[in-house]
Amino acid sequence: GMAGLGQAICLAEAETGINALILAAICAHESGWGTSRLAREKGNLAGLGAYDGAEYSCGIAFDSRAASVMFLADLLATKYCPGGCYFGGSFDLTGVGVRYASDPAWARKVAGCMRVIVEVAHVIH
């Protein structure tokens, strides 16, 4: 479900400074590795606009999966950073999770996706 996104994720990092591994992990976690209905039908890999109980109906529709990655990167770089309107006290997964997700274990789960991505990358190389 996330195949072919490497270029978009790397471009988003280059344009915003948000780490590509973090972007990939948020997308992996939020979309069930690209398999969620929101990801498949609306191109929304990051659960953007999806609220508890109305994930699909409120989720933002994107023209492409790459567009959702760039939107996420821009959002993190401008709204979740220090001084941003969604700043959660730190500019790391824990701080982002304060306002990004209702799940108190969100940061830990995204970090778990990061570990999987890194482990797979080591196996491939």
Side-chain angles (χ1 to χ4, degrees):
M2 292 186 56
L5 282 173
Q7 184 176 5
I9 291 169
C10 289
L11 179 62
E13 177 185 58
E15 291 189 14
T16 65
I18 301 298
N19 183 280
L21 179 57
I22 290 171
L23 295 171
I26 291 172
C27 290
H29 172 66
E30 290 292 330
S31 70
W33 297 92
T35 64
S36 71
R37 183 176 174 212
L38 192 59
R40 289 181 288 109
E41 296 179 8
K42 292 188 173 184
N44 186 338
L45 291 167
L48 297 161
Y51 299 98
D52 291 342
E55 292 83 0
Y56 186 80
S57 62
C58 289
I60 300 168
F62 291 92
D63 291 334
S64 68
R65 297 178 314 152
S68 77
V69 171
M70 185 56 74
F71 189 96
L72 170 64
D74 285 336
L75 189 67
L76 293 173
T78 61
K79 304 292 186 190
Y80 286 86
C81 64
C85 60
Y86 299 130
F87 182 64
S90 61
F91 196 41
D92 57 15
L93 290 177
T94 300
V96 170
V98 168
R99 299 290 299 274
Y100 194 93
S102 59
D103 181 357
W106 181 87
R108 183 178 46 78
K109 292 175 181 177
V110 172
C113 290
M114 290 173 71
R115 278 189 292 280
V116 170
I117 292 167
V118 168
E119 288 170 6
V120 169
H122 284 272
V123 170
I124 292 172
H125 289 52

